[in-house]
Amino acid sequence: YQLGKRINVYANWSQAYRPVIFADIIPTTTLNKIDPGIKDAFGHNAEIGIRGKLRNYLDFQLTLFDMLYKNRTGNLVLTDNNGDAYFYKTNTGTTRSNGIEIYAEFQPIKWLTSYRSKLQLSIYTSTSYIHARYIKGSVVSGGGNKDISGNLVEVTPHLISRNGVQLVYKGFSTTLQYSFVGQSYSDPLNTEN
């Protein structure tokens, strides 16, 4: 929706679907069994935001998002009637990720002067805050199944930020950028060491 010549508001909602594939339903060893009722993974992504340009010196974009991922597949440890343990491939969890993304670029020379300069200076940031957790889920650990409900989603840092300054003069340009990626876990158990 256009709020003016240079600013608009947008929204998007889309569904995602991942069917159970061949590798999910064929046991790799005799120690593996497959849930005959294993379900396809699915979810959605929704976002709403505003973006635009103020005069000729400030570009911006602000987006709120929410992503739901249901029926993630994984393994559980179960025992059969003889007391033998085996891996059972089934649907193991649901995750929800939501957050905010911000992009802004400010050009102070254009702001301070009304004429077109051969020297351009740009200061920018692209930053995301992400809150990603397991709503429900279980994983195999130490020969048993552990509940991971409430744990952080693996490989999803809370904060990702890229900030910098770019200087352009005639045909020459140089950029100085600082990147920061927050800590994240490498597994759904949120193992510290």
Side-chain angles (χ1 to χ4, degrees), residues 52-174:
K53 187 172 186 110
L54 296 178
R55 312 253 172 152
N56 63 343
Y57 54 82
L58 179 63
D59 290 316
F60 68 92
Q61 183 168 342
L62 175 73
T63 307
L64 301 172
F65 66 89
D66 179 71
M67 185 176 74
L68 181 68
Y69 184 2
K70 291 184 173 184
N71 293 340
R72 292 173 81 111
T73 56
N75 292 311
L76 297 177
V77 174
L78 299 180
T79 53
D80 61 18
N81 294 335
N82 299 328
D84 295 326
Y86 62 91
F87 288 109
Y88 189 63
K89 182 163 262 199
T90 187
N91 299 108
T92 58
T94 297
T95 61
R96 168 160 261 138
S97 304
N98 47 47
I100 187 169
E101 297 173 326
I102 299 166
Y103 168 77
E105 181 179 3
F106 176 61
Q107 296 181 4
I109 293 174
K110 286 184 178 181
W111 178 56
L112 293 171
T113 63
S114 58
Y115 67 93
R116 187 169 176 89
S117 173
K118 292 181 182 180
L119 178 66
Q120 296 175 22
L121 177 66
S122 176
I123 302 166
Y124 63 88
T125 184
S126 178
T127 300
S128 299
Y129 172 77
I130 306 164
H131 182 263
R133 294 210 181 265
Y134 279 88
I135 296 171
K136 64 179 181 175
S138 296
V139 295
V140 175
S141 176
N145 303 316
K146 294 210 174 172
D147 182 25
I148 56 171
S149 300
N151 284 12
L152 298 173
V153 176
E154 63 276 13
V155 198
T156 308
H158 281 301
L159 186 65
I160 301 171
S161 188
R162 311 257 192 280
N163 308 282
V165 176
Q166 182 178 37
L167 186 65
V168 178
Y169 182 72
K170 295 184 179 178
F172 172 79
S173 96
T174 185

Side-chain angles (χ1 to χ4, degrees), residues 10-73:
Y10 59 92
N12 176 56
W13 183 82
S14 59
Q15 286 183 301
Y17 171 76
R18 181 200 176 271
V20 174
I21 59 175
F22 187 75
D24 293 333
I25 59 172
I26 301 300
T28 53
T29 70
T30 56
L31 299 175
N32 293 58
K33 294 186 181 180
I34 308 299
D35 178 357
I38 196 168
K39 297 179 180 129
D40 298 329
F42 68 96
H44 74 253
N45 183 55
E47 63 184 1
I48 186 167
I50 186 169
R51 65 180 162 223
K53 187 172 186 110
L54 296 178
R55 312 253 172 152
N56 63 343
Y57 54 82
L58 179 63
D59 290 316
F60 68 92
Q61 183 168 342
L62 175 73
T63 307
L64 301 172
F65 66 89
D66 179 71
M67 185 176 74
L68 181 68
Y69 184 2
K70 291 184 173 184
N71 293 340
R72 292 173 81 111
T73 56

